[in-house]
Structures are given as C-alpha cells and as structure tokens.
Amino acid sequence: DAGVTQSPTHLIKTRGQHVTLRCSPISGHKSVSWYQQVLGQGPQFIFQYYEKEERGRGNFPDRFSARQFPNYSSELNVNALLLGDSALYLCASSLVRGEEKLFFGSGTQLSVL
Amino acid sequence: GDSVTQMEGPVTLSEEAFLTINCTYTATGYPSLFWYVQYPGEGLQLLLKATKADDKGSNKGFEATYRKETTSFHLEKGSVQVSDSAVYFCALETSYDKVIFGPGTSLSVIP
C-alpha cells in the first residue's frame, strides 16, 4: 500500500513568488495535516483538514493557505515567499480525526532564494 | 502555551550502551504523548505513544512512561544499535491532529 505521497520532493523559488505543495494521503484516510520543519528544529503545525474543512490552524500568517479535495488529497499554498519560508514541509494523514496516529510523508524541501 | 522541551544533542553512544533522552512538557489538560523518529533520508515515524498518566509506551526495545507529576516522558533503551542512529522527537497532542514537537535530539551510535 502506498504511504503518504508528497510532490514535488524539492523546489527552488525566489522571494515574492508563490508555491503550491501537494499531498496524497493514505487510501481511506480522511484527515490531512501540514507541518513546517525548519532545519534543526521540530515540525511546526500549520493546518489540519478533515472532510474538506479546516479544523485547526497554527500560528502562521495569512500567506499560508490550504485546501482539501473530495478525494481527500490536499494542497498547501504559500504566497509572497520569504527567505524564512525555506523549510521541509511535511504532510501527515490519519484515518479519522483524533486517531492519534499520524502517518507522515517524506516532505517537500522548499528553498527560497 | 503548550510546549515540549528535550535534551540537546547530538548524542553519541557506543553500540550496546544505555540510552536516555529526556523530555518534559507544558500543557493544559491531559495531552497524549509521543516519541517520533526520523531516520536519515526518511519521513517521521511514530515510535511509541502514551495517552494517560502512568501509561508506558514501548516499541523496538524503546520505552517511555507518562509521568504527570513531573510532566515528563523520557525515552530509554537498554542497548542501542547502530541502526538506532536517527533524530528523535518528543511530542504532545493537544487537540485532534495538532501535534507539538520538541526540537529533536540527534543520536549517533558507533560500532
């Protein structure tokens, strides 16, 4: 069975641009969460979606947005990129909300120049 | 706010040595506690968890006990192997799927 898949694996952007990251959860999983992991730090919670609705949001600016599609895949969008947005972006899925077991993808490494 | 603190690394041990990675937390309510592991080049994986006070989580020889009185969840293993080399994250869940991670502790095990 496929795990959580994320695309692209690596991305290079310049300041001011926008980026879209994609995530496909494990088949049957309805909850998707996004995390930002800056080098040398632990992941920081950005969003959680369940049944296509935003259920939780971390302390990130409005430049960050996300959505979940009817097939439960998800996109994370970041506008007006800053150098500080350079990080590994992780997607995690779970079968149901609050299952307490998250399955993480390998992430998208975003570099902003 | 809710937070997780864990011992700074990197930690370097010889094979078969005893491992302890300290973790303490601050949270309102009764969070679930986790240890995640990130092997080189791989994604985060759940190593073990405990959902209430005095619960002991265990997996692959690793153990951690949820200590509410000391707000701690220290990770231990009696005999580490080279294959245990990874970054270990202590974490807590305050609400559905919102997990707060510690900064991570890098472990290197040398033969």
Side-chain angles (χ1 to χ4, degrees):
Chain A
D1 287 340
V4 177
T5 57
Q6 293 186 242
S7 63
T9 55
H10 296 83
L11 201 52
I12 299 175
K13 292 286 188 178
T14 56
R15 283 179 298 174
Q17 287 188 312
H18 73 273
V19 67
T20 298
L21 311 180
R22 295 177 175 83
C23 171
S24 293
I26 292 172
S27 179
H29 284 198
K30 298 181 178 181
S31 175
V32 170
S33 304
W34 287 94
Y35 289 80
Q36 180 196 63
Q37 187 177 14
V38 173
L39 187 64
Q41 298 181 19
Q44 299 283 318
F45 173 78
I46 310 176
F47 286 110
Q48 192 249 340
Y49 276 78
Y50 179 72
E51 290 284 13
K52 302 179 287 294
E53 291 190 13
E54 182 183 304
R55 302 289 184 169
R57 185 185 184 110
N59 188 25
F60 280 79
D62 291 343
R63 298 185 296 108
F64 288 76
S65 63
R67 55 181 176 169
Q68 187 177 32
F69 298 99
N71 66 353
Y72 303 109
S73 67
S74 178
E75 285 183 353
L76 175 69
N77 295 284
V78 187
N79 293 324
L81 285 166
L82 303 174
L83 296 179
D85 295 331
S86 295
L88 180 67
Y89 288 85
L90 297 168
C91 174
S93 74
S94 63
L95 187 59
V96 293
R97 185 168 168 237
E99 190 199 33
E100 293 185 337
K101 183 167 184 178
L102 297 178
F103 293 83
F104 282 86
S106 297
T108 294
Q109 184 65 55
L110 172 65
S111 298
V112 182
L113 305 179
Chain B
D2 299 332
S3 64
V4 175
T5 303
Q6 58 183 108
M7 64 185 287
E8 293 186 14
V11 174
T12 302
L13 295 174
S14 297
E15 207 166 19
E16 299 184 359
F18 184 85
L19 168 71
T20 298
I21 301 179
N22 290 335
C23 170
T24 57
Y25 68 90
T26 302
T28 55
Y30 304 96
S32 295
L33 302 176
F34 307 87
W35 278 99
Y36 280 84
V37 59
Q38 192 169 36
Y39 296 103
E42 298 185 18
L44 276 168
Q45 302 174 24
L46 178 66
L47 180 60
L48 53 85
K49 70 175 184 180
T51 57
K52 61 182 186 296
D54 299 324
D55 268 1
K56 177 184 284 188
S58 61
N59 186 25
K60 300 181 180 179
F62 290 90
E63 293 183 342
T65 301
Y66 190 143
R67 300 290 188 196
K68 187 172 182 292
E69 64 276 12
T70 55
T71 61
S72 66
F73 193 55
H74 305 320
L75 182 69
E76 296 181 338
K77 187 174 184 181
S79 175
V80 293
Q81 306 300 313
V82 172
S83 57
D84 294 326
S85 298
V87 181
Y88 292 82
F89 294 93
C90 185
L92 64 84
E93 185 176 48
T94 59
S95 58
Y96 296 135
D97 290 352
K98 180 179 179 179
V99 179
I100 296 174
F101 288 85
T105 301
S106 176
L107 170 66
S108 294
V109 180
I110 55 177

